[in-house]
Structures are given as C-alpha cells and as structure tokens.
Amino acid sequence: MTRVIFHVDFDAFYASVEIRSNPSYRGMPLIIGADPKDGSGRGVVVTCSYEARKFGVRSAQPISLAYKLCPNAIYIRPNFQLYDEVSGDVMGLLKKFAGKFEQASIDEAYMDVTETCSRYGGPVELAHRIKSELQEIERLTCSIGIAPNKSIAKIASDMKKPDGLTYVDVKHAKEFLAPLPASKISGIGKKTEQRLNELGIKTIGELAVYPTSKLYEEFGKNAVWLWAIANAEEKVEIQENYVIKSIGTERTFEEDTDSWEMVETELRTLGGSVHERLLAEKMLFKTVTLKIRFVGFETYTRSKTLRFPSSSKECIIDEILNLTTEFKSHAKKVRLIGVRVSSLEKRQAKRIDEFAE
Ligand code: TTP
Ligand code: CA
C-alpha cells in the first residue's frame, strides 16, 4: 500500500523562536551564536534568520566572518532551554495528527499520516491545517514535504523554504528525484558525493540507473539503500520515539493589562487546555509552572512541585493562581502569561489515583 509520509522542518528554528518573543526583531537580520565583539569574537553562528542569510551568513560559520558579512545584524546568544521547551510544544502539536510519529531532531519530524489524512480532506489539506494551527497556536512557520517515503519527504521539505509545501505523488516520485543532485539525499556527505562524481554520477536519476553490481562493488552494503532511495523504493518505517517532557501553552495579551480578573480568566483557560492535552497523552504531572511577563520583557517563572503525581484540572488551576499571588502588587502591566506542567509520568491503567478526577 502507498504510504503518505510528512517531513516537517521548522524555518530558522532558533531565530524564529527569538523573534516570537521579541517581535521587534521581525524582518531584521538576526544571528544567534557567539558574541561577535565588533569582529574580534570567537565561536560560531548557531543559526540565523532568512534576512541574515541574504548576506551569506550560514550556520556553523565563524562569528567573525558573519560580522564581516553583516555587521548591522542583531546578534544574540542562544537560549537552548527555551528552544527545547518550544520544540516539545510543537512536537506535541504535530503528533496528534499522525498515525505514527518520529522526532528526527529538535525541529524536525516524520509523520505517517496514511490513515489520518483523509479525516482532513487529504494530504495537502492536512499540511495546510498543520501550518495554520502552528501559526495560530505557536506563531511559527515550517516547511512540509509530502511523499510516499521518508527520504523523498525529507528532500521535498527542503525544496521551498521558508513556509514551503511540496507534494510528491507516488506516480511522479522518480521524475521528481531524477534531476536533483545526488547530494540532496540525506546521508550522502562530501566523501560519498565525490566518489559518485568519480563514477560519473551527478544526479539521483543517474544513480538510479547505474548498474547495481558496480554500485555494490563500490559501496558494499550501502549500495542497497542508495539504490532504493534513488529508485523511490525506500520503505523505512517511522520509528516512534517521541518522549513528552512537558505540556505548556502561553498567551500574549492583545493589550497589556493590569486587570487581575482578566489574567485569572486567561490562566483558567490555559490551564484547561494544558489539562486536555495531559488527558489525551494519558499522563500525570508533578510540577506546575507559571510564566509571567510584564511590559519591558521582565519575565518570571515560578514552579510548584506536588508530593504526588496528579491529573487534576483543579489542581493545575489552584497551583497556578497561588503562584500569581506574589506578582499582584507589581507596578507594571502584564504582557504574557503561560502555564506548563512537567515531571510527567505515564498514567498506569489499573492504578487508583486519588488525585485523578
Ligand atoms: P536546521 O533545521 O538545520 O536550521 P534552521 O531551522 O535554523 O533553518 P532552516 O530554515 O534552514 O531549517 O537546524 C535546526 C536548529 O538546529 C537551528 O535553528 C539551530 C540548530 N543548529 C545548530 O545548533 N548547529 C548547526 O550546525 C545547525 C545546522 C543547526
Ligand atoms: Ca529547520
């Protein structure tokens, strides 16, 4: 049976997360990495916004080179803990659309949606639905490749970045691959590319028709997967590996507010939605965390850890409201609030949990 596989890859992930917390960076060249120290800095570029890429800045470049290329960019140090947290949130959001789900890196995932996509009207419709949900809830964009297998989906997601969508129908899979350079295949590095070039193989199409015995002589066992990928015959399953670490959500107020009634109402809503996801995941939590940001980006987090794991909605909301108490006398208006539960564990089917609803 033909499968429908998605490869989802977030656009300029760390940079987009930073822009999300600080919208004044939007549209600017933004470089995440070492301190450039006016050109004398050491260390590298971790990633950068697409605006910075226009100047030739790339991941893993020395920061001193980035500074030469784009001295006027905004340079910020990475906040890995934040990226990890956001990664968990977006993966949780993607997972619910998939039959099988495999997180491939901090900002990439494979989804087998063969069974689920018809519920949304088909593969392309599902991809649009995912994109709009990610935009609405997480304010992030991604690029999606849709194909009959993982290797083609991965190549496809990279075709139209940022905010891309590329659908490769099973009937056109070989045609799609044929003109692309062999190096587009994930796993073909500089060395393999060079050896292929020496054999006169530049494109995936040329690799597909290369005599298999010669390919085997050259690459041994690796010839098998190379041939399969080039011929659109790769059938590697999605490996379900997703481990959920926390469930959280946050909201920025349309207008900064000093109404604690409004803050409280919003916290109840956020707590409810966190609780829904907790139930859907069949999880219990022990830690509840409040995040609160005031005007001027002054941000605080406060946590409470329970003695026993719980799945109670009231418990989430009560603890969150308790945690707000110390901030009520704060002079500034509230800009953003967030609710998160962590220290998660699987709910045991037969255990009687006295805290559960
Ligand atoms: P990528 O997906 O390679 O890059 P990206 O998301 O920044 O940009 P693109 O739109 O091209 O997908 O990597 C994901 C994150 O991983 C990236 O935001 C930063 C991090 N990263 C490193 O830490 N070191 C690296 O060398 C690369 C390439 C990425
Ligand atoms: Ca990415």
Side-chain angles (χ1 to χ4, degrees), residues 246-291:
S246 70
I247 298 173
T249 186
E250 52 186 59
R251 278 282 169 280
T252 305
F253 288 104
E254 304 254 319
E255 270 176 45
D256 306 329
T257 182
D258 52 12
S259 154
W260 281 96
E261 206 181 311
M262 213 161 124
V263 169
E264 219 175 282
T265 309
E266 193 59 32
L267 283 171
R268 285 179 190 277
T269 310
L270 295 181
S273 98
V274 165
H275 180 250
E276 256 174 49
R277 279 181 51 203
L278 187 78
L279 290 189
E281 297 287 346
K282 300 191 174 57
M283 291 287 205
L284 303 169
F285 67 92
K286 261 173 81 174
T287 304
V288 183
T289 303
L290 166 77
K291 176 168 167 183

mmCIF file of all heavy atoms in Angstrom, residues 246-291:
data_model
loop_
_atom_site.group_PDB
_atom_site.id
_atom_site.type_symbol
_atom_site.label_atom_id
_atom_site.label_comp_id
_atom_site.label_asym_id
_atom_site.label_seq_id
_atom_site.Cartn_x
_atom_site.Cartn_y
_atom_site.Cartn_z
ATOM 1 N N SER A 246 7.148 17.886 28.801
ATOM 2 C CA SER A 246 6.275 18.838 29.485
ATOM 3 C C SER A 246 5.157 19.237 28.533
ATOM 4 O O SER A 246 5.250 19.001 27.332
ATOM 5 C CB SER A 246 7.064 20.078 29.924
ATOM 6 O OG SER A 246 7.437 20.854 28.804
ATOM 7 N N ILE A 247 4.098 19.798 29.092
ATOM 8 C CA ILE A 247 2.990 20.279 28.260
ATOM 9 C C ILE A 247 2.718 21.704 28.700
ATOM 10 O O ILE A 247 2.488 21.956 29.885
ATOM 11 C CB ILE A 247 1.715 19.423 28.471
ATOM 12 C CG1 ILE A 247 1.985 17.968 28.037
ATOM 13 C CG2 ILE A 247 0.525 20.017 27.722
ATOM 14 C CD1 ILE A 247 0.849 17.014 28.357
ATOM 15 N N GLY A 248 2.773 22.619 27.762
ATOM 16 C CA GLY A 248 2.567 24.003 28.157
ATOM 17 C C GLY A 248 1.974 24.826 27.051
ATOM 18 O O GLY A 248 1.961 24.417 25.896
ATOM 19 N N THR A 249 1.473 25.982 27.434
ATOM 20 C CA THR A 249 0.978 26.916 26.432
ATOM 21 C C THR A 249 1.040 28.319 27.023
ATOM 22 O O THR A 249 1.065 28.475 28.243
ATOM 23 C CB THR A 249 -0.448 26.515 25.977
ATOM 24 O OG1 THR A 249 -0.842 27.358 24.906
ATOM 25 C CG2 THR A 249 -1.468 26.627 27.094
ATOM 26 N N GLU A 250 1.095 29.315 26.168
ATOM 27 C CA GLU A 250 1.139 30.686 26.675
ATOM 28 C C GLU A 250 0.366 31.626 25.779
ATOM 29 O O GLU A 250 0.059 31.285 24.631
ATOM 30 C CB GLU A 250 2.595 31.150 26.855
ATOM 31 C CG GLU A 250 3.484 30.965 25.638
ATOM 32 C CD GLU A 250 4.940 31.305 25.923
ATOM 33 O OE1 GLU A 250 5.533 30.667 26.815
ATOM 34 O OE2 GLU A 250 5.468 32.206 25.256
ATOM 35 N N ARG A 251 0.034 32.782 26.301
ATOM 36 C CA ARG A 251 -0.728 33.786 25.553
ATOM 37 C C ARG A 251 -0.156 35.167 25.794
ATOM 38 O O ARG A 251 0.175 35.516 26.924
ATOM 39 C CB ARG A 251 -2.182 33.833 26.031
ATOM 40 C CG ARG A 251 -3.075 32.793 25.458
ATOM 41 C CD ARG A 251 -3.525 33.128 24.017
ATOM 42 N NE ARG A 251 -4.178 31.988 23.401
ATOM 43 C CZ ARG A 251 -3.538 30.955 22.860
ATOM 44 N NH1 ARG A 251 -2.235 30.921 22.822
ATOM 45 N NH2 ARG A 251 -4.195 29.956 22.344
ATOM 46 N N THR A 252 -0.067 35.921 24.712
ATOM 47 C CA THR A 252 0.280 37.330 24.848
ATOM 48 C C THR A 252 -1.029 38.102 24.779
ATOM 49 O O THR A 252 -1.835 37.851 23.886
ATOM 50 C CB THR A 252 1.180 37.770 23.680
ATOM 51 O OG1 THR A 252 2.296 36.894 23.641
ATOM 52 C CG2 THR A 252 1.655 39.203 23.852
ATOM 53 N N PHE A 253 -1.254 39.004 25.703
ATOM 54 C CA PHE A 253 -2.482 39.804 25.663
ATOM 55 C C PHE A 253 -2.434 40.772 24.485
ATOM 56 O O PHE A 253 -1.379 41.323 24.175
ATOM 57 C CB PHE A 253 -2.668 40.584 26.977
ATOM 58 C CG PHE A 253 -3.041 39.701 28.126
ATOM 59 C CD1 PHE A 253 -2.104 39.360 29.098
ATOM 60 C CD2 PHE A 253 -4.325 39.183 28.231
ATOM 61 C CE1 PHE A 253 -2.443 38.528 30.155
ATOM 62 C CE2 PHE A 253 -4.670 38.348 29.280
ATOM 63 C CZ PHE A 253 -3.726 38.016 30.248
ATOM 64 N N GLU A 254 -3.577 40.941 23.841
ATOM 65 C CA GLU A 254 -3.654 41.894 22.720
ATOM 66 C C GLU A 254 -3.168 43.262 23.194
ATOM 67 O O GLU A 254 -2.429 43.943 22.511
ATOM 68 C CB GLU A 254 -5.101 42.027 22.246
ATOM 69 C CG GLU A 254 -5.709 40.706 21.853
ATOM 70 C CD GLU A 254 -5.850 40.557 20.357
ATOM 71 O OE1 GLU A 254 -6.239 41.543 19.733
ATOM 72 O OE2 GLU A 254 -5.556 39.458 19.842
ATOM 73 N N GLU A 255 -3.652 43.626 24.398
ATOM 74 C CA GLU A 255 -3.167 44.866 25.021
ATOM 75 C C GLU A 255 -2.687 44.529 26.421
ATOM 76 O O GLU A 255 -3.343 43.752 27.125
ATOM 77 C CB GLU A 255 -4.313 45.866 25.137
ATOM 78 C CG GLU A 255 -4.444 46.750 23.929
ATOM 79 C CD GLU A 255 -5.650 47.659 24.051
ATOM 80 O OE1 GLU A 255 -5.841 48.254 25.143
ATOM 81 O OE2 GLU A 255 -6.390 47.736 23.069
ATOM 82 N N ASP A 256 -1.562 45.118 26.819
ATOM 83 C CA ASP A 256 -1.044 44.867 28.169
ATOM 84 C C ASP A 256 -2.150 45.189 29.175
ATOM 85 O O ASP A 256 -2.919 46.120 28.981
ATOM 86 C CB ASP A 256 0.169 45.768 28.436
ATOM 87 C CG ASP A 256 1.210 45.597 27.339
ATOM 88 O OD1 ASP A 256 1.301 44.483 26.785
ATOM 89 O OD2 ASP A 256 1.906 46.583 27.018
ATOM 90 N N THR A 257 -2.181 44.400 30.255
ATOM 91 C CA THR A 257 -3.323 44.565 31.169
ATOM 92 C C THR A 257 -2.888 44.659 32.628
ATOM 93 O O THR A 257 -1.868 44.081 33.012
ATOM 94 C CB THR A 257 -4.327 43.399 31.009
ATOM 95 O OG1 THR A 257 -5.426 43.627 31.886
ATOM 96 C CG2 THR A 257 -3.692 42.054 31.359
ATOM 97 N N ASP A 258 -3.666 45.398 33.441
ATOM 98 C CA ASP A 258 -3.435 45.357 34.883
ATOM 99 C C ASP A 258 -4.667 44.811 35.592
ATOM 100 O O ASP A 258 -4.803 44.923 36.794
ATOM 101 C CB ASP A 258 -3.017 46.724 35.441
ATOM 102 C CG ASP A 258 -3.962 47.820 35.029
ATOM 103 O OD1 ASP A 258 -5.060 47.490 34.505
ATOM 104 O OD2 ASP A 258 -3.619 48.998 35.215
ATOM 105 N N SER A 259 -5.544 44.183 34.794
ATOM 106 C CA SER A 259 -6.724 43.565 35.397
ATOM 107 C C SER A 259 -6.413 42.130 35.796
ATOM 108 O O SER A 259 -6.252 41.256 34.951
ATOM 109 C CB SER A 259 -7.892 43.591 34.398
ATOM 110 O OG SER A 259 -8.784 42.542 34.685
ATOM 111 N N TRP A 260 -6.320 41.881 37.111
ATOM 112 C CA TRP A 260 -6.018 40.527 37.578
ATOM 113 C C TRP A 260 -7.169 39.577 37.324
ATOM 114 O O TRP A 260 -6.987 38.373 37.216
ATOM 115 C CB TRP A 260 -5.586 40.532 39.050
ATOM 116 C CG TRP A 260 -4.160 40.972 39.104
ATOM 117 C CD1 TRP A 260 -3.708 42.230 39.343
ATOM 118 C CD2 TRP A 260 -3.005 40.168 38.792
ATOM 119 N NE1 TRP A 260 -2.346 42.275 39.213
ATOM 120 C CE2 TRP A 260 -1.886 41.022 38.882
ATOM 121 C CE3 TRP A 260 -2.807 38.837 38.449
ATOM 122 C CZ2 TRP A 260 -0.593 40.582 38.637
ATOM 123 C CZ3 TRP A 260 -1.518 38.380 38.213
ATOM 124 C CH2 TRP A 260 -0.418 39.262 38.311
ATOM 125 N N GLU A 261 -8.366 40.155 37.174
ATOM 126 C CA GLU A 261 -9.518 39.341 36.843
ATOM 127 C C GLU A 261 -9.309 38.730 35.454
ATOM 128 O O GLU A 261 -9.545 37.550 35.222
ATOM 129 C CB GLU A 261 -10.751 40.239 36.853
ATOM 130 C CG GLU A 261 -12.024 39.506 37.150
ATOM 131 C CD GLU A 261 -13.194 40.481 37.105
ATOM 132 O OE1 GLU A 261 -13.094 41.559 37.735
ATOM 133 O OE2 GLU A 261 -14.174 40.155 36.411
ATOM 134 N N MET A 262 -8.821 39.572 34.535
ATOM 135 C CA MET A 262 -8.584 39.111 33.173
ATOM 136 C C MET A 262 -7.449 38.077 33.130
ATOM 137 O O MET A 262 -7.539 37.057 32.462
ATOM 138 C CB MET A 262 -8.187 40.318 32.310
ATOM 139 C CG MET A 262 -8.641 40.215 30.904
ATOM 140 S SD MET A 262 -8.596 41.876 30.235
ATOM 141 C CE MET A 262 -7.534 41.579 28.863
ATOM 142 N N VAL A 263 -6.398 38.357 33.903
ATOM 143 C CA VAL A 263 -5.263 37.421 33.971
ATOM 144 C C VAL A 263 -5.754 36.070 34.494
ATOM 145 O O VAL A 263 -5.430 35.014 33.944
ATOM 146 C CB VAL A 263 -4.143 37.988 34.875
ATOM 147 C CG1 VAL A 263 -3.081 36.938 35.167
ATOM 148 C CG2 VAL A 263 -3.517 39.226 34.242
ATOM 149 N N GLU A 264 -6.600 36.129 35.534
ATOM 150 C CA GLU A 264 -7.086 34.900 36.141
ATOM 151 C C GLU A 264 -7.951 34.097 35.178
ATOM 152 O O GLU A 264 -7.809 32.878 35.056
ATOM 153 C CB GLU A 264 -7.891 35.256 37.395
ATOM 154 C CG GLU A 264 -7.654 34.285 38.514
ATOM 155 C CD GLU A 264 -8.359 34.725 39.783
ATOM 156 O OE1 GLU A 264 -7.831 35.631 40.449
ATOM 157 O OE2 GLU A 264 -9.427 34.158 40.089
ATOM 158 N N THR A 265 -8.838 34.791 34.477
ATOM 159 C CA THR A 265 -9.697 34.114 33.494
ATOM 160 C C THR A 265 -8.850 33.417 32.445
ATOM 161 O O THR A 265 -9.087 32.273 32.075
ATOM 162 C CB THR A 265 -10.618 35.158 32.800
ATOM 163 O OG1 THR A 265 -11.249 35.896 33.814
ATOM 164 C CG2 THR A 265 -11.629 34.494 31.909
ATOM 165 N N GLU A 266 -7.836 34.131 31.953
ATOM 166 C CA GLU A 266 -6.981 33.578 30.907
ATOM 167 C C GLU A 266 -6.186 32.376 31.441
ATOM 168 O O GLU A 266 -6.023 31.375 30.746
ATOM 169 C CB GLU A 266 -6.041 34.681 30.387
ATOM 170 C CG GLU A 266 -5.307 34.345 29.106
ATOM 171 C CD GLU A 266 -6.228 34.021 27.920
ATOM 172 O OE1 GLU A 266 -7.330 34.594 27.841
ATOM 173 O OE2 GLU A 266 -5.823 33.184 27.103
ATOM 174 N N LEU A 267 -5.722 32.484 32.688
ATOM 175 C CA LEU A 267 -4.971 31.361 33.269
ATOM 176 C C LEU A 267 -5.850 30.119 33.394
ATOM 177 O O LEU A 267 -5.392 29.001 33.185
ATOM 178 C CB LEU A 267 -4.406 31.742 34.638
ATOM 179 C CG LEU A 267 -3.170 32.636 34.597
ATOM 180 C CD1 LEU A 267 -2.814 33.129 36.003
ATOM 181 C CD2 LEU A 267 -1.968 31.909 33.980
ATOM 182 N N ARG A 268 -7.127 30.327 33.724
ATOM 183 C CA ARG A 268 -8.054 29.182 33.808
ATOM 184 C C ARG A 268 -8.206 28.533 32.437
ATOM 185 O O ARG A 268 -8.214 27.301 32.319
ATOM 186 C CB ARG A 268 -9.430 29.638 34.310
ATOM 187 C CG ARG A 268 -9.451 29.930 35.789
ATOM 188 C CD ARG A 268 -10.838 30.411 36.232
ATOM 189 N NE ARG A 268 -10.766 30.896 37.597
ATOM 190 C CZ ARG A 268 -10.828 30.111 38.672
ATOM 191 N NH1 ARG A 268 -10.988 28.818 38.514
ATOM 192 N NH2 ARG A 268 -10.725 30.627 39.874
ATOM 193 N N THR A 269 -8.310 29.358 31.395
ATOM 194 C CA THR A 269 -8.442 28.815 30.037
ATOM 195 C C THR A 269 -7.182 28.041 29.656
ATOM 196 O O THR A 269 -7.254 26.922 29.143
ATOM 197 C CB THR A 269 -8.658 29.968 29.021
ATOM 198 O OG1 THR A 269 -9.704 30.788 29.522
ATOM 199 C CG2 THR A 269 -9.006 29.441 27.652
ATOM 200 N N LEU A 270 -6.022 28.647 29.895
ATOM 201 C CA LEU A 270 -4.754 27.982 29.551
ATOM 202 C C LEU A 270 -4.610 26.682 30.335
ATOM 203 O O LEU A 270 -4.221 25.652 29.786
ATOM 204 C CB LEU A 270 -3.563 28.899 29.836
ATOM 205 C CG LEU A 270 -3.445 30.184 29.009
ATOM 206 C CD1 LEU A 270 -2.193 30.962 29.414
ATOM 207 C CD2 LEU A 270 -3.409 29.882 27.526
ATOM 208 N N GLY A 271 -4.945 26.730 31.621
ATOM 209 C CA GLY A 271 -4.867 25.538 32.477
ATOM 210 C C GLY A 271 -5.769 24.439 31.924
ATOM 211 O O GLY A 271 -5.377 23.262 31.885
ATOM 212 N N GLY A 272 -6.954 24.828 31.465
ATOM 213 C CA GLY A 272 -7.887 23.859 30.890
ATOM 214 C C GLY A 272 -7.311 23.204 29.651
ATOM 215 O O GLY A 272 -7.418 21.985 29.470
ATOM 216 N N SER A 273 -6.657 24.000 28.806
ATOM 217 C CA SER A 273 -6.147 23.409 27.565
ATOM 218 C C SER A 273 -4.923 22.522 27.836
ATOM 219 O O SER A 273 -4.743 21.487 27.201
ATOM 220 C CB SER A 273 -5.930 24.478 26.492
ATOM 221 O OG SER A 273 -4.596 24.859 26.440
ATOM 222 N N VAL A 274 -4.115 22.903 28.819
ATOM 223 C CA VAL A 274 -2.987 22.047 29.217
ATOM 224 C C VAL A 274 -3.539 20.721 29.765
ATOM 225 O O VAL A 274 -3.051 19.642 29.445
ATOM 226 C CB VAL A 274 -2.105 22.755 30.268
ATOM 227 C CG1 VAL A 274 -1.174 21.785 30.964
ATOM 228 C CG2 VAL A 274 -1.313 23.886 29.620
ATOM 229 N N HIS A 275 -4.590 20.829 30.564
ATOM 230 C CA HIS A 275 -5.183 19.636 31.160
ATOM 231 C C HIS A 275 -5.745 18.696 30.088
ATOM 232 O O HIS A 275 -5.578 17.477 30.164
ATOM 233 C CB HIS A 275 -6.287 20.046 32.141
ATOM 234 C CG HIS A 275 -6.952 18.885 32.786
ATOM 235 N ND1 HIS A 275 -8.254 18.518 32.496
ATOM 236 C CD2 HIS A 275 -6.488 17.978 33.680
ATOM 237 C CE1 HIS A 275 -8.551 17.436 33.195
ATOM 238 N NE2 HIS A 275 -7.514 17.098 33.928
ATOM 239 N N GLU A 276 -6.378 19.262 29.065
ATOM 240 C CA GLU A 276 -6.913 18.441 27.971
ATOM 241 C C GLU A 276 -5.813 17.626 27.310
ATOM 242 O O GLU A 276 -5.976 16.449 27.018
ATOM 243 C CB GLU A 276 -7.521 19.345 26.901
ATOM 244 C CG GLU A 276 -9.027 19.376 26.929
ATOM 245 C CD GLU A 276 -9.558 20.391 25.938
ATOM 246 O OE1 GLU A 276 -9.115 20.376 24.768
ATOM 247 O OE2 GLU A 276 -10.386 21.215 26.363
ATOM 248 N N ARG A 277 -4.691 18.293 27.062
ATOM 249 C CA ARG A 277 -3.585 17.577 26.410
ATOM 250 C C ARG A 277 -2.979 16.521 27.336
ATOM 251 O O ARG A 277 -2.573 15.454 26.887
ATOM 252 C CB ARG A 277 -2.520 18.563 25.924
ATOM 253 C CG ARG A 277 -2.935 19.189 24.600
ATOM 254 C CD ARG A 277 -1.919 20.151 24.068
ATOM 255 N NE ARG A 277 -0.575 19.609 24.013
ATOM 256 C CZ ARG A 277 0.516 20.354 24.001
ATOM 257 N NH1 ARG A 277 0.423 21.670 24.076
ATOM 258 N NH2 ARG A 277 1.698 19.801 23.918
ATOM 259 N N LEU A 278 -2.966 16.839 28.626
ATOM 260 C CA LEU A 278 -2.459 15.876 29.606
ATOM 261 C C LEU A 278 -3.307 14.598 29.571
ATOM 262 O O LEU A 278 -2.789 13.482 29.564
ATOM 263 C CB LEU A 278 -2.521 16.513 30.998
ATOM 264 C CG LEU A 278 -1.886 15.749 32.136
ATOM 265 C CD1 LEU A 278 -0.370 15.912 32.106
ATOM 266 C CD2 LEU A 278 -2.412 16.226 33.486
ATOM 267 N N LEU A 279 -4.626 14.776 29.515
ATOM 268 C CA LEU A 279 -5.523 13.616 29.458
ATOM 269 C C LEU A 279 -5.325 12.854 28.155
ATOM 270 O O LEU A 279 -5.262 11.629 28.148
ATOM 271 C CB LEU A 279 -6.983 14.056 29.576
ATOM 272 C CG LEU A 279 -7.460 14.581 30.925
ATOM 273 C CD1 LEU A 279 -8.974 14.759 30.909
ATOM 274 C CD2 LEU A 279 -7.055 13.661 32.070
ATOM 275 N N ALA A 280 -5.209 13.604 27.043
ATOM 276 C CA ALA A 280 -5.037 12.960 25.738
ATOM 277 C C ALA A 280 -3.762 12.121 25.726
ATOM 278 O O ALA A 280 -3.704 11.072 25.099
ATOM 279 C CB ALA A 280 -5.009 14.012 24.638
ATOM 280 N N GLU A 281 -2.741 12.587 26.437
ATOM 281 C CA GLU A 281 -1.467 11.855 26.482
ATOM 282 C C GLU A 281 -1.467 10.770 27.558
ATOM 283 O O GLU A 281 -0.480 10.068 27.730
ATOM 284 C CB GLU A 281 -0.301 12.815 26.761
ATOM 285 C CG GLU A 281 -0.063 13.871 25.695
ATOM 286 C CD GLU A 281 0.557 13.297 24.435
ATOM 287 O OE1 GLU A 281 1.043 12.151 24.468
ATOM 288 O OE2 GLU A 281 0.533 13.997 23.411
ATOM 289 N N LYS A 282 -2.533 10.705 28.339
ATOM 290 C CA LYS A 282 -2.639 9.744 29.460
ATOM 291 C C LYS A 282 -1.456 9.889 30.416
ATOM 292 O O LYS A 282 -0.798 8.921 30.777
ATOM 293 C CB LYS A 282 -2.730 8.309 28.941
ATOM 294 C CG LYS A 282 -3.933 8.072 28.045
ATOM 295 C CD LYS A 282 -4.108 6.587 27.781
ATOM 296 C CE LYS A 282 -5.365 6.268 27.009
ATOM 297 N NZ LYS A 282 -5.475 6.954 25.709
ATOM 298 N N MET A 283 -1.226 11.144 30.810
ATOM 299 C CA MET A 283 -0.075 11.450 31.662
ATOM 300 C C MET A 283 -0.525 12.028 33.000
ATOM 301 O O MET A 283 -1.615 12.587 33.117
ATOM 302 C CB MET A 283 0.807 12.505 30.993
ATOM 303 C CG MET A 283 1.535 12.028 29.780
ATOM 304 S SD MET A 283 2.847 10.942 30.288
ATOM 305 C CE MET A 283 3.948 11.091 28.943
ATOM 306 N N LEU A 284 0.383 11.928 33.976
ATOM 307 C CA LEU A 284 0.226 12.605 35.262
ATOM 308 C C LEU A 284 1.371 13.612 35.381
ATOM 309 O O LEU A 284 2.440 13.390 34.812
ATOM 310 C CB LEU A 284 0.345 11.600 36.412
ATOM 311 C CG LEU A 284 -0.610 10.411 36.416
ATOM 312 C CD1 LEU A 284 -0.169 9.394 37.472
ATOM 313 C CD2 LEU A 284 -2.029 10.876 36.683
ATOM 314 N N PHE A 285 1.152 14.686 36.137
ATOM 315 C CA PHE A 285 2.230 15.680 36.311
ATOM 316 C C PHE A 285 2.554 15.819 37.791
ATOM 317 O O PHE A 285 1.749 15.474 38.645
ATOM 318 C CB PHE A 285 1.789 17.046 35.764
ATOM 319 C CG PHE A 285 0.665 17.658 36.564
ATOM 320 C CD1 PHE A 285 0.937 18.514 37.625
ATOM 321 C CD2 PHE A 285 -0.648 17.347 36.259
ATOM 322 C CE1 PHE A 285 -0.102 19.050 38.381
ATOM 323 C CE2 PHE A 285 -1.687 17.885 37.002
ATOM 324 C CZ PHE A 285 -1.413 18.731 38.065
ATOM 325 N N LYS A 286 3.736 16.354 38.066
ATOM 326 C CA LYS A 286 4.055 16.694 39.451
ATOM 327 C C LYS A 286 4.369 18.175 39.614
ATOM 328 O O LYS A 286 4.210 18.740 40.672
ATOM 329 C CB LYS A 286 5.246 15.851 39.948
ATOM 330 C CG LYS A 286 4.775 14.650 40.761
ATOM 331 C CD LYS A 286 5.891 13.715 41.129
ATOM 332 C CE LYS A 286 6.670 14.186 42.332
ATOM 333 N NZ LYS A 286 7.657 13.155 42.731
ATOM 334 N N THR A 287 4.845 18.798 38.500
ATOM 335 C CA THR A 287 5.255 20.201 38.622
ATOM 336 C C THR A 287 4.374 21.108 37.767
ATOM 337 O O THR A 287 4.076 20.775 36.627
ATOM 338 C CB THR A 287 6.733 20.343 38.207
ATOM 339 O OG1 THR A 287 7.508 19.457 39.009
ATOM 340 C CG2 THR A 287 7.239 21.762 38.377
ATOM 341 N N VAL A 288 3.983 22.226 38.346
ATOM 342 C CA VAL A 288 3.204 23.235 37.629
ATOM 343 C C VAL A 288 4.056 24.498 37.579
ATOM 344 O O VAL A 288 4.628 24.900 38.590
ATOM 345 C CB VAL A 288 1.896 23.567 38.381
ATOM 346 C CG1 VAL A 288 1.063 24.562 37.595
ATOM 347 C CG2 VAL A 288 1.098 22.305 38.651
ATOM 348 N N THR A 289 4.154 25.113 36.388
ATOM 349 C CA THR A 289 4.972 26.318 36.273
ATOM 350 C C THR A 289 4.174 27.466 35.668
ATOM 351 O O THR A 289 3.505 27.304 34.646
ATOM 352 C CB THR A 289 6.223 26.049 35.407
ATOM 353 O OG1 THR A 289 6.945 24.969 35.991
ATOM 354 C CG2 THR A 289 7.127 27.277 35.317
ATOM 355 N N LEU A 290 4.273 28.594 36.331
ATOM 356 C CA LEU A 290 3.671 29.828 35.827
ATOM 357 C C LEU A 290 4.760 30.646 35.168
ATOM 358 O O LEU A 290 5.871 30.758 35.695
ATOM 359 C CB LEU A 290 3.096 30.634 36.999
ATOM 360 C CG LEU A 290 2.728 32.093 36.692
ATOM 361 C CD1 LEU A 290 1.420 32.178 35.928
ATOM 362 C CD2 LEU A 290 2.638 32.917 37.984
ATOM 363 N N LYS A 291 4.437 31.200 33.994
ATOM 364 C CA LYS A 291 5.363 32.161 33.383
ATOM 365 C C LYS A 291 4.604 33.470 33.285
ATOM 366 O O LYS A 291 3.437 33.484 32.874
ATOM 367 C CB LYS A 291 5.747 31.648 31.999
ATOM 368 C CG LYS A 291 6.631 32.578 31.194
ATOM 369 C CD LYS A 291 7.164 31.809 29.996
ATOM 370 C CE LYS A 291 7.787 32.709 28.976
ATOM 371 N NZ LYS A 291 8.242 31.941 27.796
#
